[in-house]
Amino acid sequence: FTLPVLGDPARTVSGQDLRGQPYLLNVWGSWCPACRDEHPVITELAASGRVKVVGYNYKDASEDAQRWLQQFGNPYALVLVDEPGLAALDWGIYGAPETFLVDATGVVRWKHVGPVTPEVVQQQLLPALEALP
């Protein structure tokens, strides 16, 4: 995939650019009530420094996404924009929130559909992160 960066549409980032270290790809939209519910958990996870967190803004107007991040905070190392939702097809994304753990070689090692909760982090994500090669 190659997607523009929120707030800097002339800059694009590809899957190849993100290789070299694991990252968590968090699919969200300003229109998504469950994304607001999980946002404090994603923020805490990003602040922990355990894994780089990349935002994937899905089917959202950039202005709405930027306003939402200003209101609730921006925990993401960067935010990719997929306003038409076309790159999401390659990921198997069909809604928000969804979260993927991607290893350093670009392979998806874990996927969670729905809001990430503290329990999901402790019981699923952290063990998946620790099991990465």
Side-chain angles (χ1 to χ4, degrees):
F1 68 91
T2 300
L3 291 168
V5 174
L6 184 66
D8 189 2
R11 179 179 165 218
T12 59
V13 173
S14 71
Q16 186 68 32
D17 295 331
L18 294 173
R19 291 189 181 172
Q21 72 179 62
Y23 63 94
L24 196 69
L25 186 78
N26 178 241
V27 180
W28 66 279
S30 65
W31 47 265
C32 166
C35 297
R36 184 175 175 182
D37 294 340
E38 82 167 357
H39 196 68
V41 177
I42 298 298
T43 299
E44 185 176 320
L45 186 61
S48 77
R50 289 184 167 178
V51 65
K52 177 181 179 176
V53 182
V54 175
Y56 188 108
N57 186 239
Y58 177 63
K59 292 189 175 183
D60 206 357
S62 290
E63 302 79 26
D64 294 339
Q66 289 174 320
R67 188 171 28 259
W68 194 89
L69 289 173
Q70 287 172 350
Q71 183 177 357
F72 298 109
N74 185 351
Y76 303 111
L78 79 140
V79 177
L80 305 174
V81 177
D82 187 6
E83 190 170 341
L86 297 177
L89 298 174
D90 293 334
W91 280 91
I93 295 168
Y94 61 89
E98 291 186 26
T99 304
F100 300 80
L101 177 61
V102 182
D103 73 13
T105 65
V107 175
V108 174
R109 298 294 181 169
W110 176 83
K111 177 181 178 181
H112 180 76
V113 176
V116 172
T117 64
E119 294 77 21
V120 169
V121 170
Q122 290 300 317
Q123 296 169 12
Q124 298 177 36
L125 177 57
L126 293 181
L129 190 56
E130 291 168 10
L132 289 179

